[in-house]
Amino acid sequence: MRGGRSAAEYVTCRATVRRLLADFLGSEPADVPLGRRPCPGCGSVDHGPPAVLSPGGGPLLSISHSAGLGMLALSDAPVGVDVEAFRDVPVAELAVAALTPAERNIVLDAPEPHRTGLFLRCWTRKEAVLKAVGIGVTASLTALETKADRPGPVKVTTGPAHSVAATWWVTDLSVPHGWTASLASPAAGGRTITVQAL
């Protein structure tokens, strides 16, 4: 953690997640067993996706927070959510490691502040998909094409490099000004997405 503020935000986010899950499950926050599912890439539970570890199972979930805004996604299918605050980002430096050639052309050709917005759109889409897969940002980001110039939902495909070959619907979420957020769910299934501000 980069300091006291980051640590406090992390603890606050996790406490809020436990409270919201308790409301959803009809239990007390202290009775919500949070842990991790096995990583689909290596099988380790040390860094797999977050999970409710109740004997009967619980909803699949994804958690994200950035600069005071937290998000929790619950589903009966794999799901990933990511939120990022708008801030100074060294887009030109990060583009080679994080963007596909098509994304780089779109993002780097845009004037600021649109350039940063497009970069963060790509980033949140990629991270949401990789969270839905269950591996997080451990695989090549340049292998995920997120169609930066299109408003969501868009289809994003993962391959063997991401542990799961699948197609995902990635939706841009409505969040307060100053943040951007994306949610990924399996393309097969036609699920309805509901966003609630709490």
Side-chain angles (χ1 to χ4, degrees), residues 88-109:
D88 288 333
V89 177
V91 174
E93 294 174 32
L94 296 174
V96 172
L99 304 179
T100 67
E103 290 168 339
R104 280 197 299 273
N105 289 338
I106 292 164
V107 170
L108 296 178
D109 285 349

Side-chain angles (χ1 to χ4, degrees), residues 77-78 155 166-169 185-191:
K155 284 187 177 179
T167 302
W168 307 86
W169 273 117
S185 59
R191 288 169 175 79

Side-chain angles (χ1 to χ4, degrees), residues 7-97:
E9 182 174 301
Y10 177 86
V11 170
T12 300
C13 180
R14 288 304 190 264
T16 302
V17 164
R18 190 177 292 274
R19 182 181 54 79
L20 292 172
L21 285 169
D23 289 346
F24 180 80
L25 297 169
S27 64
E28 294 298 318
D31 296 331
V32 176
L34 286 177
R36 296 191 175 275
R37 288 185 286 134
C39 169
C42 70
S44 171
V45 293
D46 293 334
H47 58 264
V52 177
L53 300 179
S54 59
L60 297 178
L61 60 101
S62 181
I63 304 165
S64 184
H65 61 91
S66 179
L69 181 66
M71 303 199 82
L72 168 65
L74 300 175
S75 179
D76 59 355
V79 64
V81 68
D82 189 54
V83 61
E84 295 291 336
F86 282 99
R87 61 195 182 280
D88 288 333
V89 177
V91 174
E93 294 174 32
L94 296 174
V96 172

